[in-house]
């Protein structure tokens, strides 16, 4: 005969297994009209279509290394391999490398967020505001049955020193005017940054 104990239920997952997961929203999903949502995306798309990708020109042996702005111009983030934004939940063999990363809605396409990290495999474990922005952004599309394809990509040729990565990140945020980066909220009146 099996003996049962009362008052204690064994958990399927440890606290570490679920740490950093999305919280269940306590409020209703973000309500934004279909016309307003499409107009917001179209404004960003039109700006970003004007941004060109130019490789830095080959110089002589005595030419200085490219500036952060010149290097930012050479990164074609739309050609980087894409991953699901839930990549951080996967089992990884290592913590990753120094990198810049880009959150993109490939449906249009538009660059939503630019970030930097010293460990590409670890950056999104735990709390990260951009996770909430993505959740709100996707939730705003669902009531209207609008297609959305949010992915993330990493550029692993980023400087290994923190200040160098941050300078390059700033140049890319300025270039793309990515709406989820706080520096650009003034341009886009981003409706997706509030609590879900």
């Amino acid at each position: 005969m099996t003996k049962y104990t009362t008052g204690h239920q064994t958990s399927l997952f440890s606290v570490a297994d679920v740490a950093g997961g999305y919280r269940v929203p306590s409020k209703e999903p973000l309500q934004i009209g279909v016309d307003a949502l499409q107009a917001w995306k179209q404004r960003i798309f039109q700006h970003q279509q004007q941004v060109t990708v130019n490789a830095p020109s080959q110089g002589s042996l005595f030419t200085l290394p490219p500036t952060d702005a010149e290097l930012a111009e050479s990164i074609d983030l739309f050609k980087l391999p894409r991953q699901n934004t839930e990549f951080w939940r996967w089992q990884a063999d290592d913590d990753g490398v120094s990198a810049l990363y880009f959150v993109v809605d490939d449906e249009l396409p538009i660059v939503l967020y630019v970030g930097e990290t010293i460990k590409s495999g670890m950056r999104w474990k735990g709390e990260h505001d951009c996770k909430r922005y993505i959740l709100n952004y996707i939730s705003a599309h669902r009531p209207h049955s609008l297609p959305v394809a949010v992915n993330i990509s990493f550029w692993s040729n980023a400087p290994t020193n923190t200040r160098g990565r941050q300078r390059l990140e700033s140049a890319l945020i300025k270039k793309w005017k990515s709406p989820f980066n706080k520096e650009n909220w003034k341009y886009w009146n981003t409706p997706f940054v509030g609590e879900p």
Side-chain angles (χ1 to χ4, degrees), residues 15 22 30 42 47 61 89 99 113 128 145 158 161 164 167 178 183 189:
V15 173
Y22 289 117
L30 177 68
Q42 196 61 29
H47 165 75
L61 288 174
R89 293 182 185 265
Y113 186 81
H128 194 303
S145 299
N161 69 66
R167 284 193 313 269
S178 42
E183 299 88 334
N189 299 320

Side-chain angles (χ1 to χ4, degrees), residues 161-172:
N161 69 66
T162 301
R163 295 301 307 148
R165 274 194 324 279
Q166 289 172 340
R167 284 193 313 269
L168 186 51
E169 173 195 33
S170 292
L172 285 157

Side-chain angles (χ1 to χ4, degrees), residues 33-90:
V34 66
D35 293 337
L37 178 57
Q38 289 178 321
W40 183 85
K41 289 170 59 175
Q42 196 61 29
R43 284 185 22 234
I44 296 163
F45 177 74
Q46 288 173 353
H47 165 75
Q48 292 180 352
Q49 286 297 296
Q50 296 173 22
V51 175
T52 58
V53 176
N54 299 311
S57 59
Q58 178 88 20
S60 71
L61 288 174
F62 305 106
T63 303
L64 296 173
T67 65
D68 294 325
E70 290 169 337
L71 189 52
E73 287 296 319
S74 71
I75 300 171
D76 190 350
L77 60 93
F78 291 106
K79 290 186 178 176
L80 295 174
R82 298 287 195 265
Q83 298 184 56
N84 185 295
T85 55
E86 296 286 318
F87 75 94
W88 56 274
R89 293 182 185 265
W90 305 334

Side-chain angles (χ1 to χ4, degrees), residues 145-167:
S145 299
L146 291 176
V148 62
V150 178
N151 296 295
I152 192 167
S153 56
F154 290 88
W155 185 69
S156 58
N157 294 327
T160 55
N161 69 66
T162 301
R163 295 301 307 148
R165 274 194 324 279
Q166 289 172 340
R167 284 193 313 269

Side-chain angles (χ1 to χ4, degrees), residues 22-30 132 135-136 139 195-196:
Y22 289 117
R23 289 173 284 201
V24 175
S26 58
K27 299 178 185 175
E28 290 294 316
L30 177 68
R132 183 177 71 247
L135 183 61
N136 288 339
S139 294
E195 286 292 330

